[in-house]
Amino acid sequence: MCGIAGFLWRDRAASGPLGQRLLDMARILGSRGLESTGLALYRQLPSDRLVLRIHVEEPAAATEAQQRLLERIGALATVAEYERSGPLTRIVLSGVSDRADLGFMRRVIDAVEAADGAEGFSIGTAMEIVKDVGPADDLASQHCVSTFVGSHGLAHTRLATESRVDICHSHPFWARPFPDIAVVHNGQLTNHHKLRRRFERRGFHFLTENDSEVIAVFVADRLAQGASLEQALTDSICELDGTFTYLVSTADAIGFAKDRFATKPLVVAECNDYVAMASEEIALEPVMASGCTVYEPEARAVRTWSR
Amino acid sequence: MVEIDCDGLTIRQVNCAIRGALERDEPVVVRNTRSRHNLGVGLRRPGRVVFDGNVGYYCAGMLMHADVEIRGNCGWSVGECMMSGSIVVRGNASAAAGAAIRGGTLVVHGNAGPRAGISQKGGTIVVGGRVGYMSGFISQKGLLVVCGDTGEALGDSLYEGKIYVGGQIAELGNDAVAAPATAKDAALLADLLDRYELASAADSSRFTKVVSGRRLYNFDKADFELWRVAM
């Protein structure tokens, strides 16, 4: 089934206990899928910094892989922060002169993945993707996200229908190589192989064969071509075939799109300070204040919120 | 009157408490519902049950005899497979409201989502607002009344269920045909709308009736024209 959730503080200057909020929603959405849990968390970094979340695959070779990783990354920029939690490594780079340079992002990812056994899960000026197999409580205990203070983010709980259960196939999916763009998806696309091939012919590289990763790249590509977030989501309703309700997040916005059949649920709660959305209203209970407007979007609905 | 506080109780405990009250002929109010799923499923005795708040999926599923009121919104499949009794939703209903009901009455004062009245087999569903995509899909029997607008594919593959729409129909589904409502239809609708306090929602004389064209479920394989069109 999968469960999806999103949260955004509306004021540009506002932030809060984002990690805890998203974990609370993910815990309740565990009834829709317990195989994996993942979060996309946003906290703006200083203007010369990038944050990377990297998966290092084989515990036995982890130390060597980590060493190679640091050497290769260190050749591109200064490693200002470095920490590991289980299979995930968090690196903050400083002294990055142009954070809009996609070529630099590609070089960073190439450097990460040239180190055997390492895969890039996200690059962001603000965004970090933290995901793993197992329920929300496992994610919280292994990866220290409950204390994350941030501005907005996404959560996902997975019941795999279409590809295997492992950390790489968990959501959120990063729109490689575009920084700060992530997607969580409930549903199943039927034309994702065709779309993926089309993007691969244009030079995109995908981490997985998962349908949801294609959605992330689709939206990011539209944005890169100059479309607004709302237009990119609207375009996706015609271009994506299958069932979907998905959330996308960028450096300063969140949006959703629903397929034309309204097969997959979403409930939205809005108030002056924040907007929250989740597959089921029960998951909004911990974050809804009285005075929130609660509604369920209809088929083909698209909506975005910017900070 | 029995008051049940859902906080700290499992759904099974809540539902057992509701059934116990109905067995003693006591009306029930259920509080702190918090959009939880499966509240009030399988009630089989007459009596009155009020859910004071939003409920989740499958509320009052498989209902028999009792009169249920939901003072808020409900999730998917409210009253699914209802056999008799009544359910009134004061807020909005989500997808598949009244799915496969065989009897009884479901009234939604707000909007209902996609697939309202899917596979209806009897009974009456009245929606004060609008309904979403493919509402009335494969309805075999019974009545679906929508005071507001509908989504696409209304009444797709209808059997003998009847749909009345007071607002705009975005699109008729396969083999669903529209016909003007008769005076008798208008009288029936006026009575329904008045009874369930929806008389202000729409003018009963301006409803469109949607029925089956009877060409899909009476498909004649020797009708080569149909094959030609289908191919």
PDB file of all heavy atoms in Angstrom, chain A residues 11-29:
ATOM      1  N   ASP A  11       6.075  29.929   7.114  1.00  0.00           N
ATOM      2  CA  ASP A  11       6.892  31.137   7.180  1.00  0.00           C
ATOM      3  C   ASP A  11       8.323  30.806   6.810  1.00  0.00           C
ATOM      4  O   ASP A  11       8.895  29.826   7.293  1.00  0.00           O
ATOM      5  CB  ASP A  11       6.834  31.709   8.611  1.00  0.00           C
ATOM      6  CG  ASP A  11       7.477  33.083   8.676  1.00  0.00           C
ATOM      7  OD1 ASP A  11       8.703  33.176   8.443  1.00  0.00           O
ATOM      8  OD2 ASP A  11       6.748  34.045   8.959  1.00  0.00           O
ATOM      9  N   ARG A  12       8.890  31.635   5.956  1.00  0.00           N
ATOM     10  CA  ARG A  12      10.231  31.387   5.452  1.00  0.00           C
ATOM     11  C   ARG A  12      11.266  31.271   6.571  1.00  0.00           C
ATOM     12  O   ARG A  12      12.258  30.574   6.454  1.00  0.00           O
ATOM     13  CB  ARG A  12      10.630  32.534   4.521  1.00  0.00           C
ATOM     14  CG  ARG A  12      11.790  32.183   3.682  1.00  0.00           C
ATOM     15  CD  ARG A  12      11.921  33.071   2.470  1.00  0.00           C
ATOM     16  NE  ARG A  12      12.964  32.528   1.647  1.00  0.00           N
ATOM     17  CZ  ARG A  12      12.785  31.564   0.728  1.00  0.00           C
ATOM     18  NH1 ARG A  12      11.592  31.105   0.492  1.00  0.00           N
ATOM     19  NH2 ARG A  12      13.801  31.089   0.059  1.00  0.00           N
ATOM     20  N   ALA A  13      11.001  31.999   7.658  1.00  0.00           N
ATOM     21  CA  ALA A  13      11.973  31.982   8.757  1.00  0.00           C
ATOM     22  C   ALA A  13      11.692  30.885   9.775  1.00  0.00           C
ATOM     23  O   ALA A  13      12.466  30.689  10.709  1.00  0.00           O
ATOM     24  CB  ALA A  13      11.950  33.337   9.461  1.00  0.00           C
ATOM     25  N   ALA A  14      10.583  30.177   9.617  1.00  0.00           N
ATOM     26  CA  ALA A  14      10.169  29.236  10.657  1.00  0.00           C
ATOM     27  C   ALA A  14      10.805  27.869  10.476  1.00  0.00           C
ATOM     28  O   ALA A  14      11.060  27.413   9.364  1.00  0.00           O
ATOM     29  CB  ALA A  14       8.649  29.104  10.655  1.00  0.00           C
ATOM     30  N   SER A  15      11.053  27.231  11.596  1.00  0.00           N
ATOM     31  CA  SER A  15      11.478  25.836  11.586  1.00  0.00           C
ATOM     32  C   SER A  15      10.985  25.215  12.881  1.00  0.00           C
ATOM     33  O   SER A  15      10.456  25.916  13.755  1.00  0.00           O
ATOM     34  CB  SER A  15      12.993  25.713  11.457  1.00  0.00           C
ATOM     35  OG  SER A  15      13.617  26.309  12.572  1.00  0.00           O
ATOM     36  N   GLY A  16      11.152  23.913  13.016  1.00  0.00           N
ATOM     37  CA  GLY A  16      10.625  23.251  14.208  1.00  0.00           C
ATOM     38  C   GLY A  16      11.106  21.822  14.293  1.00  0.00           C
ATOM     39  O   GLY A  16      11.998  21.402  13.541  1.00  0.00           O
ATOM     40  N   PRO A  17      10.497  21.046  15.186  1.00  0.00           N
ATOM     41  CA  PRO A  17      10.919  19.651  15.404  1.00  0.00           C
ATOM     42  C   PRO A  17      10.470  18.746  14.267  1.00  0.00           C
ATOM     43  O   PRO A  17       9.626  17.858  14.436  1.00  0.00           O
ATOM     44  CB  PRO A  17      10.240  19.291  16.724  1.00  0.00           C
ATOM     45  CG  PRO A  17       9.039  20.169  16.785  1.00  0.00           C
ATOM     46  CD  PRO A  17       9.408  21.449  16.090  1.00  0.00           C
ATOM     47  N   LEU A  18      11.059  18.964  13.116  1.00  0.00           N
ATOM     48  CA  LEU A  18      10.625  18.290  11.899  1.00  0.00           C
ATOM     49  C   LEU A  18      10.804  16.784  11.983  1.00  0.00           C
ATOM     50  O   LEU A  18       9.931  16.012  11.589  1.00  0.00           O
ATOM     51  CB  LEU A  18      11.417  18.842  10.719  1.00  0.00           C
ATOM     52  CG  LEU A  18      11.081  18.240   9.365  1.00  0.00           C
ATOM     53  CD1 LEU A  18       9.700  18.688   8.914  1.00  0.00           C
ATOM     54  CD2 LEU A  18      12.133  18.619   8.330  1.00  0.00           C
ATOM     55  N   GLY A  19      11.974  16.372  12.468  1.00  0.00           N
ATOM     56  CA  GLY A  19      12.245  14.940  12.553  1.00  0.00           C
ATOM     57  C   GLY A  19      11.184  14.223  13.376  1.00  0.00           C
ATOM     58  O   GLY A  19      10.649  13.183  12.969  1.00  0.00           O
ATOM     59  N   GLN A  20      10.851  14.786  14.516  1.00  0.00           N
ATOM     60  CA  GLN A  20       9.865  14.161  15.395  1.00  0.00           C
ATOM     61  C   GLN A  20       8.488  14.133  14.738  1.00  0.00           C
ATOM     62  O   GLN A  20       7.769  13.133  14.812  1.00  0.00           O
ATOM     63  CB  GLN A  20       9.807  14.913  16.729  1.00  0.00           C
ATOM     64  CG  GLN A  20       9.065  14.161  17.822  1.00  0.00           C
ATOM     65  CD  GLN A  20       9.645  12.782  18.036  1.00  0.00           C
ATOM     66  OE1 GLN A  20      10.825  12.609  18.341  1.00  0.00           O
ATOM     67  NE2 GLN A  20       8.826  11.760  17.863  1.00  0.00           N
ATOM     68  N   ARG A  21       8.123  15.237  14.082  1.00  0.00           N
ATOM     69  CA  ARG A  21       6.815  15.294  13.421  1.00  0.00           C
ATOM     70  C   ARG A  21       6.697  14.209  12.354  1.00  0.00           C
ATOM     71  O   ARG A  21       5.703  13.480  12.287  1.00  0.00           O
ATOM     72  CB  ARG A  21       6.613  16.645  12.736  1.00  0.00           C
ATOM     73  CG  ARG A  21       6.497  17.832  13.648  1.00  0.00           C
ATOM     74  CD  ARG A  21       5.061  18.201  13.897  1.00  0.00           C
ATOM     75  NE  ARG A  21       4.968  19.072  15.064  1.00  0.00           N
ATOM     76  CZ  ARG A  21       4.401  20.249  15.078  1.00  0.00           C
ATOM     77  NH1 ARG A  21       3.824  20.718  13.981  1.00  0.00           N
ATOM     78  NH2 ARG A  21       4.376  20.968  16.168  1.00  0.00           N
ATOM     79  N   LEU A  22       7.715  14.129  11.505  1.00  0.00           N
ATOM     80  CA  LEU A  22       7.650  13.156  10.413  1.00  0.00           C
ATOM     81  C   LEU A  22       7.695  11.728  10.954  1.00  0.00           C
ATOM     82  O   LEU A  22       7.018  10.835  10.434  1.00  0.00           O
ATOM     83  CB  LEU A  22       8.794  13.401   9.422  1.00  0.00           C
ATOM     84  CG  LEU A  22       8.695  14.691   8.616  1.00  0.00           C
ATOM     85  CD1 LEU A  22       9.937  14.878   7.741  1.00  0.00           C
ATOM     86  CD2 LEU A  22       7.453  14.707   7.734  1.00  0.00           C
ATOM     87  N   LEU A  23       8.474  11.509  11.999  1.00  0.00           N
ATOM     88  CA  LEU A  23       8.508  10.161  12.591  1.00  0.00           C
ATOM     89  C   LEU A  23       7.150   9.792  13.191  1.00  0.00           C
ATOM     90  O   LEU A  23       6.703   8.654  13.066  1.00  0.00           O
ATOM     91  CB  LEU A  23       9.583  10.097  13.674  1.00  0.00           C
ATOM     92  CG  LEU A  23      11.005   9.912  13.208  1.00  0.00           C
ATOM     93  CD1 LEU A  23      11.971  10.064  14.368  1.00  0.00           C
ATOM     94  CD2 LEU A  23      11.211   8.549  12.539  1.00  0.00           C
ATOM     95  N   ASP A  24       6.510  10.751  13.845  1.00  0.00           N
ATOM     96  CA  ASP A  24       5.181  10.475  14.413  1.00  0.00           C
ATOM     97  C   ASP A  24       4.206  10.053  13.328  1.00  0.00           C
ATOM     98  O   ASP A  24       3.414   9.123  13.509  1.00  0.00           O
ATOM     99  CB  ASP A  24       4.648  11.718  15.136  1.00  0.00           C
ATOM    100  CG  ASP A  24       5.368  11.993  16.447  1.00  0.00           C
ATOM    101  OD1 ASP A  24       6.038  11.070  16.961  1.00  0.00           O
ATOM    102  OD2 ASP A  24       5.287  13.129  16.944  1.00  0.00           O
ATOM    103  N   MET A  25       4.257  10.747  12.187  1.00  0.00           N
ATOM    104  CA  MET A  25       3.351  10.397  11.093  1.00  0.00           C
ATOM    105  C   MET A  25       3.746   9.048  10.499  1.00  0.00           C
ATOM    106  O   MET A  25       2.882   8.211  10.199  1.00  0.00           O
ATOM    107  CB  MET A  25       3.365  11.499  10.031  1.00  0.00           C
ATOM    108  CG  MET A  25       2.727  12.800  10.516  1.00  0.00           C
ATOM    109  SD  MET A  25       2.182  13.893   9.194  1.00  0.00           S
ATOM    110  CE  MET A  25       3.702  14.746   8.849  1.00  0.00           C
ATOM    111  N   ALA A  26       5.036   8.820  10.345  1.00  0.00           N
ATOM    112  CA  ALA A  26       5.501   7.560   9.759  1.00  0.00           C
ATOM    113  C   ALA A  26       5.141   6.374  10.658  1.00  0.00           C
ATOM    114  O   ALA A  26       4.819   5.290  10.175  1.00  0.00           O
ATOM    115  CB  ALA A  26       6.998   7.610   9.513  1.00  0.00           C
ATOM    116  N   ARG A  27       5.185   6.583  11.946  1.00  0.00           N
ATOM    117  CA  ARG A  27       4.846   5.504  12.873  1.00  0.00           C
ATOM    118  C   ARG A  27       3.412   5.049  12.647  1.00  0.00           C
ATOM    119  O   ARG A  27       3.107   3.861  12.600  1.00  0.00           O
ATOM    120  CB  ARG A  27       5.007   6.037  14.301  1.00  0.00           C
ATOM    121  CG  ARG A  27       5.668   5.076  15.244  1.00  0.00           C
ATOM    122  CD  ARG A  27       6.015   5.730  16.552  1.00  0.00           C
ATOM    123  NE  ARG A  27       7.429   6.000  16.657  1.00  0.00           N
ATOM    124  CZ  ARG A  27       7.974   7.206  16.822  1.00  0.00           C
ATOM    125  NH1 ARG A  27       7.222   8.275  16.922  1.00  0.00           N
ATOM    126  NH2 ARG A  27       9.277   7.343  16.913  1.00  0.00           N
ATOM    127  N   ILE A  28       2.496   6.001  12.506  1.00  0.00           N
ATOM    128  CA  ILE A  28       1.084   5.667  12.292  1.00  0.00           C
ATOM    129  C   ILE A  28       0.896   5.065  10.908  1.00  0.00           C
ATOM    130  O   ILE A  28       0.115   4.120  10.720  1.00  0.00           O
ATOM    131  CB  ILE A  28       0.211   6.922  12.478  1.00  0.00           C
ATOM    132  CG1 ILE A  28       0.295   7.390  13.929  1.00  0.00           C
ATOM    133  CG2 ILE A  28      -1.230   6.656  12.069  1.00  0.00           C
ATOM    134  CD1 ILE A  28      -0.322   8.740  14.190  1.00  0.00           C
ATOM    135  N   LEU A  29       1.612   5.573   9.933  1.00  0.00           N
ATOM    136  CA  LEU A  29       1.482   5.051   8.569  1.00  0.00           C
ATOM    137  C   LEU A  29       2.157   3.688   8.410  1.00  0.00           C
ATOM    138  O   LEU A  29       2.071   3.085   7.347  1.00  0.00           O
ATOM    139  CB  LEU A  29       2.067   6.037   7.563  1.00  0.00           C
ATOM    140  CG  LEU A  29       1.286   7.343   7.406  1.00  0.00           C
ATOM    141  CD1 LEU A  29       2.047   8.313   6.499  1.00  0.00           C
ATOM    142  CD2 LEU A  29      -0.107   7.093   6.849  1.00  0.00           C
TER     143      LEU A  29
END
